[in-house]
Amino acid sequence: DLMASDGNTTSLAVVVSAMGGKPKTTDLLLQTVSASAERNQDKVDGAIEYILNKHNTCLGELFVDEDEDDDTRERLQQMIVKDLNDIRDILKTVALMKWQATRISELVSGYGEVWSAQILSELLKKRSQKKKNNSTSTDHFVYLDARRVITIDEEAIKDGAVCWDISQEKLQQVYKEERSKLISEGKVTEGGENDDDDFKIHFCITGYVASN
């Protein structure tokens, strides 16, 4: 339970996969690529519509309060719609070439993790804020696209060789940037009562597919 971290001064990183269920989001995204290679536009449209409805239903259940939740839900919905439109543009190339390229499949299938990580991040921010109203919680949740920090050795990419030293340095830099952002927004007072050992930034990170 990420919200039951009282007494734990360790910042957490939660690696998030795409939304599951039947059919899974990743499978649907891959289906759009294969259908485009076959120039089966009806199948592409059906899969994209299913993905959109699947995530809209989820958002409608998770963000049900008025005002602030409405803004968060609408912003996340608009983000998903924009990404789906970008996917449609990518798929036009697939249909034109009639070729299901591995790199394109990896790119398209990674979107599901991006959506889930952002949704989880916003949900935890919401619950953390409610917790702060009743306590002195100093937990802050941040969405992180793993591609910002994960660095791959391109010469050994088939083996999935991660350059861990470089990746760790990038993660530390991102942490510093997010901390500075919270300070500039007034959510944390540098040198004040919130700037202590209890202050924690937790990352909701995209998973393996998006990282590749």
Side-chain angles (χ1 to χ4, degrees):
D1 186 350
L2 293 175
M3 300 309 300
S5 59
D6 289 341
N8 179 7
T9 58
T10 303
S11 294
L12 303 176
V14 184
V15 180
V16 186
S17 62
M19 195 178 297
K22 294 184 178 180
K24 297 179 179 179
T25 299
T26 301
D27 292 341
L28 287 166
L29 288 167
L30 287 171
Q31 187 181 105
T32 65
V33 181
S34 59
S36 293
E38 299 168 356
R39 295 188 177 178
N40 187 337
Q41 191 59 43
D42 288 341
K43 193 172 183 179
V44 172
D45 292 340
I48 288 179
E49 182 178 1
Y50 194 101
I51 291 169
L52 181 59
N53 291 337
K54 185 184 184 80
H55 286 78
N56 281 343
T57 298
C58 174
L59 291 171
E61 293 178 357
L62 293 178
F63 301 93
V64 295
D65 298 335
E66 297 180 356
D67 299 329
E68 186 175 344
D69 269 10
D70 288 343
D71 292 340
T72 301
R73 183 172 60 248
E74 183 177 355
R75 176 164 49 81
L76 290 169
Q77 288 173 334
Q78 290 177 349
M79 176 265 296
I80 294 172
V81 168
K82 178 183 179 302
D83 286 347
L84 287 172
N85 287 335
D86 289 343
I87 289 173
R88 285 186 182 276
D89 289 339
I90 294 170
L91 296 178
K92 290 177 183 178
T93 302
V94 176
L96 181 64
M97 299 177 65
K98 292 186 179 180
W99 182 40
Q100 187 177 342
T102 300
R103 285 289 189 174
I104 290 180
S105 295
E106 291 174 349
L107 173 63
V108 171
S109 62
Y111 275 93
E113 296 172 357
V114 172
W115 301 330
S116 291
Q118 292 189 64
I119 291 171
L120 179 61
S121 174
E122 292 298 332
L123 178 64
L124 292 176
K125 285 180 186 177
K126 166 189 170 183
R127 294 184 177 179
S128 178
Q129 186 59 46
K130 287 184 178 180
K131 185 179 177 183
K132 287 177 187 177
N133 292 335
N134 299 314
S135 69
T136 57
S137 170
T138 52
D139 292 290
H140 299 274
F141 295 90
V142 176
Y143 161 71
L144 175 61
D145 187 331
R147 288 169 291 193
R148 288 181 63 189
V149 296
I150 297 296
T151 302
I152 302 294
D153 183 345
E154 293 294 339
E155 294 182 358
I157 194 167
K158 291 183 178 179
D159 299 323
V162 177
C163 301
W164 290 111
D165 290 343
I166 298 175
S167 299
Q168 186 174 13
E169 289 177 3
K170 288 184 177 180
L171 180 58
Q172 290 173 344
Q173 181 60 37
V174 169
Y175 184 93
K176 291 178 182 178
E177 291 173 0
E178 293 298 336
R179 184 182 180 88
S180 297
K181 187 185 300 183
L182 289 170
I183 292 172
S184 67
E185 293 174 351
K187 296 178 181 178
V188 177
T189 304
E190 189 171 21
E193 61 179 2
N194 289 333
D195 190 26
D196 55 25
D197 291 338
D198 292 331
F199 174 81
K200 298 182 287 291
I201 293 178
H202 308 298
F203 289 110
C204 296
I205 308 178
T206 55
Y208 175 80
V209 176
S211 298
N212 280 281

